[in-house]
Amino acid sequence: MPLMMSEEGCENDEGDYHTLPRARAARRGRRPERALCGGWQSLCASCCDWLINVCQRKRELRARTVWLGHPEKCEEKHPRNIIKNQKYNVFTFIPGVLYEQFKFFLNLYFLVVSCSQFVPALKIGYLYTYWAPLGFVLAVTITREAIDEFRRFQRDKEVNSQLYSKLTVRGKVQVKSSDIQVGDLIVVEKNQRIPSDMVFLRTSEKAGSCFIRTDQLDGETDWKLKVAVSCTQRLPALGDLFSISAYVHAQKPQLDIHSFEGTFTRDDSDPPVHESLSIENTLWASTVVASGTVIGVVIYTGKETRSVLNTSNPNNKVGLLDLELNQLTKALFLALVALSVVMVTLQGFVGPWYRNLFRFLLLFSYIIPISLRVNLDMGKAAYGWMVMRDENIPGTVVRTSTIPEELGRLVYLLTDKTGTLTRNEMVFKRLHLGTVSYGTDTMDEIQGHVRASCLQLPSPTGGNSTSSTPPRKAQPSAPKVRKSVSSRVHEAVKAIALCHNVTPVYESRAGVTAETEYAEADRDFTDENRTYQASSPDEVALVQWTESVGLTLVSRDLTSMQLRTPGGQVLTYSLLQTFPFTSESKRMGVVVRDESTAEITFYMKGADVAMSTIVQYNDWLEEECGNMAREGLRTLVVAKRVLTEEQYQDFESRYTQAKLSVHDRTLKVAAVVESLEREMQLLCVTGVEDRLQADVRPTLEMLRNAGIKIWMLTGDKLETATCIAKSSHLVSRTQDTHIFRPVSSRGEAHLELNAFRRKQDCALVLSGDSLEVCLRYYEHELMELACQCPAVVCCRCSPTQKARIVKLLQTHTHKRTCAIGDGGNDVSMIQAADCGIGIEGKEGKAASLAADFSITQFAHVGRLLMVHGRRSYKRSAALGQFVMHRGLLISTMQAVFSSVFYFASVPLYQGFLMVGYATVYTMFPVFSLVLDQDVKPEVAMLYPELYKDLTKGRSLSFKTFLVWVLISVYQGGILMYGALVLFESEFVHVVAISFTALILTELLMVALTIRTWHWLMVLAEFLSLGCYVASLAFLNEYFDVAFITTVTFVWKVSAVTVLSCLPLYVVKYLKRKLSPPSYSKLMS
């Protein structure tokens, strides 16, 4: 079944359809406004609209005619073949970064405040006290963004600079991936990435076909067989591609990766050659050539390729903590305005009160600390550095340094299957014959049985496989006698060795070019240079297993197959018919003739649900398949039926007739094949394991215990996805699984949703097509039910569907989502999620490069979330609130000072004191909070339940914020009133006592907040205190040096400081004794 049905296209069209009326409505809404305004405004508006339309106009995608090897003949200009993950270009970088900064209320507020200092009547203190912090914030942000953007540029450049061979009239030339144009003839070697969408013209493989790996595009591990255009494949030499006049007509670029319509025309022959092109003649960008060398003509480049069309544009991600702090900043602004209004009211609105109001706004502006963003941004950079330095998760890279706190707030984890949870390595684990079962430890017994049975085979004349004796007619099914175990094992192994779509490929020897046909000497059947290729890794695992037990597939083409026995004898079988696997039939079959005996046998294998009705009655199949599935093995049932020559000839004539019918061809062909599928002899059941990544099971269990709901989104088949969900313990063994039946209409979706609603505590498994139908009619109901499930598995998902599921979760739950994947098909999902994690693995680097965090294996997610997510969130919450406390404290003191001195709008501290307070004197101790930790990493990993508290957001909320406000008001009042009570005659003493007590209070409050001391914290405390004491000698304009060296000064400052801090220490001690936090019990 196609992964992405036509609905995807419809969805796209519907999007355009809805957008147009909205745009028209918007224009209609603007017309009355324009009518009211003057002509000049109307003209300006028209010009602006025109400019916006020109800038945002999308190129219309059209069908195209592409001449082979002649890019210059293209009728229109096509996009450059570049991969671009950058957010900005040279011109948009500065405006873009500034917009991202000033869309935050905090920064916009400080910009307005700083600009107000250019107005003489509003000027308070020196310009640098406002502009220096703002400039520093912007410099840090721009530098950080520039570094991130430069890294993205370097990564893109690496991919865009990959070299490929391009065919020209003068021979092969090397070109960069970014210089490839529509119409170029490109040579792609084995294991090389295909740089753009191409039509497959020619291959070095003799059969005229090759395999490609598409896991970067659709997540499927099956290798896809692609067929070269027969007209160009038949050309004698490679250079003849330039001696013919030919072109490809291709449809317009589309989202659907499973369909293509086009024609190949050679117009220099008489009559012209026309060949229809379909999906099997295409090579999409981001796929990898798995066999031979291929030559293709480029039809789509850059943003018109299927892989880019299925990738969404990256968003600028903003963390939940940043949004919460933005809300708190707005609350602080309201408090600032209210305080200023109160002050002006108490003044009695005398004189130019509005000017006084603005001056009070500026005086109390420290309520909203500009250093908040600087500290948080520097903290984020520190967390990123710590993550990359963690030896327990080597190879981890932080690519987006702005959202490390998100790792501590996740509720939904959406993961890919192939290459993320699994290694994509199939291993044969079990063979069951009904009465006897063989596991990995008894494979040598099978080898012995196969060897014994092969010795009894009639030896064909000559060493070769083709027998010179006249073929005997096959006997009808012999009377049923109990066969020996050896013969039953041999029959089963032979069936597995014959019933598949695997092709053995022999690597060409050194010196043999790709275009030269293999010489017989190169096809020497040695095991060393043979590799197997198939459309499924399961198939390869089965054939590799038959080789390990003695029956080796040595050759295969379109009409025959050769097996080698343990004794070196080569058996040849004619391949009469092949019935490929489809997701509807869930089985595949072959009809073969043994050349030595002329016996015709129909072999079939498939899923137990499909095969149970086809094989003869038995009492063990269902039970054994269930047992294997519980072990996480992928089961296949193998059966056979011996045909007489007459039976086969009758079948062949009916089958050929059915294939030629015009109406209902598929149904007629299926009916004829089903006539063969009767009373088949059950041979065996096989169990294959898709090996999981290291420590996947304990990691998933840890995440579940942490309260994270895990959804698996995969492009793979339903059976495979369900099997992996069980084997990885994504779905626990005690849980039921509800498989959502395929639905195609509103009524069917309604019935199926009602059936699912009645289930309790049940994991949901549904396909992409059913999901599409349900979302169209019952989006809210489906999401409501799915969110209640302990686990959800979506199979046959397209890249755009994965991204859509992420967005739906965000919209319906308002919870934080994390997407994790390792292939190009996961990029959209990773970019749509609040936090994207990419795994750098077998499927390449696409996901890793597009992600916010890059790891090397799935097991590292546990530590990344439990330890680094926890630390980042807890530290940022403490840091943010402490910086706000620092601003509130000095604003409270200013309010007390102004109210005591007749509500004068005069600053308490001026010039360097204000700058020094926020920087040199308190910056290091406050920032050292980024080293604090409430629990040790080992405890966080051992008790993942602690993570649940983080998702509730209790570390930073309006409640904790109000506690800090009360602390600030209390301390500010004590410090100011204490200094006013204790000061003698001169005002300068108030400044000296209060400011010194303020600095000491801040240092003591940092010590009170810290939960685990680090040597750098101690150093920061003493360094700040030393800086302050040393600077007293130079601050003559603010302090009386003679006074601050007296004992009086020391005891007064000490008294005020103790009075402001001691009660808080007592409260903290009592709280820890009477109501300790959950983690403190574990720490003890």
Side-chain angles (χ1 to χ4, degrees), residues 696-886:
V696 159
R697 289 188 186 115
T699 304
L700 287 174
E701 191 176 345
M702 181 196 294
L703 295 172
R704 252 205 318 274
N705 291 339
I708 297 172
K709 291 189 177 182
I710 303 159
W711 290 30
M712 185 168 85
L713 313 180
T714 175
D716 223 328
K717 297 184 281 290
L718 186 139
E719 294 81 10
T720 313
T722 310
C723 196
I724 293 299
K726 287 177 180 172
S727 67
S728 65
H729 296 179
L730 176 73
V731 176
S732 64
R733 295 188 176 190
T734 55
Q735 259 169 12
D736 288 334
T737 306
H738 178 83
I739 295 177
F740 207 87
R741 286 191 300 108
V743 295
S744 54
S745 66
R746 182 173 188 154
E748 289 176 2
H750 183 74
L751 291 171
E752 194 58 29
L753 281 168
N754 280 344
F756 178 51
R757 194 185 291 276
R758 289 191 285 271
K759 299 280 182 80
Q760 291 292 324
D761 191 41
C762 183
L764 173 65
V765 181
L766 80 166
S767 68
D769 299 330
S770 302
L771 176 76
E772 202 67 43
V773 175
C774 290
L775 290 179
R776 189 178 303 154
Y777 301 114
Y778 299 108
E779 181 183 294
H780 182 73
E781 290 82 352
L782 177 69
M783 293 308 295
E784 184 187 351
L785 288 171
C787 289
Q788 292 168 6
C789 293
V792 176
V793 177
C794 292
C795 52
R796 308 299 288 178
C797 275
S798 69
T800 43
Q801 277 177 330
K802 287 184 178 185
R804 191 177 173 202
I805 291 168
V806 172
K807 288 171 184 169
L808 284 169
L809 266 178
Q810 291 167 337
T811 308
H812 284 270
T813 66
H814 303 291
K815 304 287 186 187
R816 305 318 270 178
T817 58
C818 173
I820 176 166
D822 70 322
N825 60 312
D826 303 315
V827 169
S828 297
M829 167 174 82
I830 283 170
Q831 290 178 337
D834 298 302
C835 174
I837 301 175
I839 297 180
E840 196 170 307
K842 288 185 178 178
E843 294 191 23
K845 291 185 177 181
S848 161
L849 296 178
D852 306 306
F853 302 90
S854 169
I855 57 177
T856 53
Q857 54 177 292
F858 185 81
H860 291 173
V861 174
R863 188 173 176 87
L864 193 64
L865 269 56
M866 301 301 122
V867 177
H868 293 288
R870 180 183 191 82
R871 282 179 178 174
S872 300
Y873 171 55
K874 286 273 188 180
R875 288 166 173 176
S876 284
L879 184 63
Q881 291 178 123
F882 204 92
V883 172
M884 284 195 262
H885 158 74
R886 193 170 62 182

Side-chain angles (χ1 to χ4, degrees), residues 216-344:
Q216 280 285 305
L217 191 64
D218 58 15
E220 293 191 24
T221 54
D222 305 358
W223 288 9
K224 307 293 189 295
L225 185 71
K226 296 293 180 177
V227 182
V229 176
S230 57
C231 178
T232 48
Q233 180 65 25
R234 286 197 303 266
L235 294 173
L238 197 56
D240 293 339
L241 285 168
F242 286 96
S243 64
I244 64 170
S245 174
Y247 61 86
V248 170
H249 181 76
Q251 64 180 161
K252 70 177 184 180
Q254 291 185 345
L255 272 171
D256 195 344
I257 54 178
H258 289 288
S259 70
F260 175 73
E261 290 174 12
T263 53
F264 174 89
T265 306
R266 181 179 174 181
D267 59 1
D268 60 350
S269 59
D270 193 22
V273 176
H274 296 285
E275 209 172 313
S276 71
L277 302 176
S278 66
I279 187 66
E280 66 177 10
N281 305 115
T282 59
L283 303 167
W284 295 146
S286 296
T287 58
V288 176
V289 177
S291 67
T293 303
V294 304
I295 295 95
V297 60
V298 176
I299 52 171
Y300 309 124
T301 52
K303 56 189 177 189
E304 291 182 345
T305 59
R306 293 291 203 269
S307 60
V308 175
L309 286 172
N310 273 284
T311 306
S312 56
N313 291 323
N315 300 320
N316 280 317
K317 296 183 181 180
V318 179
L320 182 59
L321 185 105
D322 291 321
L323 297 173
E324 288 169 345
L325 284 171
N326 204 40
Q327 293 299 324
L328 294 181
T329 307
K330 291 174 183 174
L332 286 172
F333 178 72
L334 292 176
L336 165 66
V337 173
L339 185 60
S340 302
V341 170
V342 167
M343 285 292 182
V344 173

Side-chain angles (χ1 to χ4, degrees), residues 540-554:
V540 175
L542 292 171
V543 173
Q544 284 174 337
W545 175 77
T546 64
E547 180 185 348
S548 72
V549 296
L551 213 53
T552 308
L553 175 70
V554 290

Side-chain angles (χ1 to χ4, degrees), residues 101 124 144 321 349 368 388 449 754 842 864-865 894 996 1040:
Q101 285 307 300
I124 293 176
R144 194 192 66 233
L321 185 105
F349 292 99
I368 305 173
M388 292 193 279
H449 289 314
N754 280 344
K842 288 185 178 178
L864 193 64
L865 269 56
Q894 176 68 55
T996 306
D1040 180 357

